[in-house]
Amino acid sequence: MADSTQGDAHDKAWKKAEKKFANKHASQYYDPCQDFADRSLKCMKRNGFDREMCHDYFQAYRDCKKNWLTQKKAS
């Protein structure tokens, strides 16, 4: 019985939020550069948080972010 009430509560919560997510702007909840950010963090963990070892990952993230913001401004 508790499972069905939790399911109903979940369904009601989703119905309230569904319109917001269905009509969101393309970049409001999505960062196309998140993969680069994740890779840079994994590199930091792998290399004992030595920033010098992960310079290429950070640069790739900065380049991605710069391109994304440039495209966003142009549109």
Side-chain angles (χ1 to χ4, degrees), residues 29-42:
Y29 298 107
Y30 175 73
D31 181 1
C33 302
Q34 187 60 47
D35 185 48
F36 292 105
D38 293 341
R39 289 178 187 206
S40 64
L41 290 173
K42 285 180 186 176

Side-chain angles (χ1 to χ4, degrees), residues 57-73:
Y57 288 97
F58 291 126
Q59 190 61 47
Y61 175 74
R62 283 192 293 268
D63 293 343
C64 178
K65 201 66 150 181
K66 182 178 178 182
N67 289 336
W68 179 46
L69 292 175
T70 302
Q71 289 175 359
K72 189 176 172 182
K73 287 179 185 176

Side-chain angles (χ1 to χ4, degrees), residues 37-52:
D38 293 341
R39 289 178 187 206
S40 64
L41 290 173
K42 285 180 186 176
C43 178
M44 290 285 285
K45 288 179 184 176
R46 227 183 12 250
N47 292 295
F49 297 95
D50 182 7
R51 291 181 59 90
E52 292 295 320

Side-chain angles (χ1 to χ4, degrees), residues 2-56:
D3 291 333
S4 65
T5 44
Q6 286 178 346
D8 292 341
H10 177 71
D11 290 342
K12 288 178 185 177
W14 173 246
K15 286 179 183 177
K16 287 181 181 178
E18 183 177 21
K19 185 177 178 182
K20 180 179 179 181
F21 284 101
N23 297 319
K24 69 181 174 66
H25 297 289
S27 64
Q28 190 173 1
Y29 298 107
Y30 175 73
D31 181 1
C33 302
Q34 187 60 47
D35 185 48
F36 292 105
D38 293 341
R39 289 178 187 206
S40 64
L41 290 173
K42 285 180 186 176
C43 178
M44 290 285 285
K45 288 179 184 176
R46 227 183 12 250
N47 292 295
F49 297 95
D50 182 7
R51 291 181 59 90
E52 292 295 320
M53 296 292 289
C54 303
H55 180 356
D56 292 339

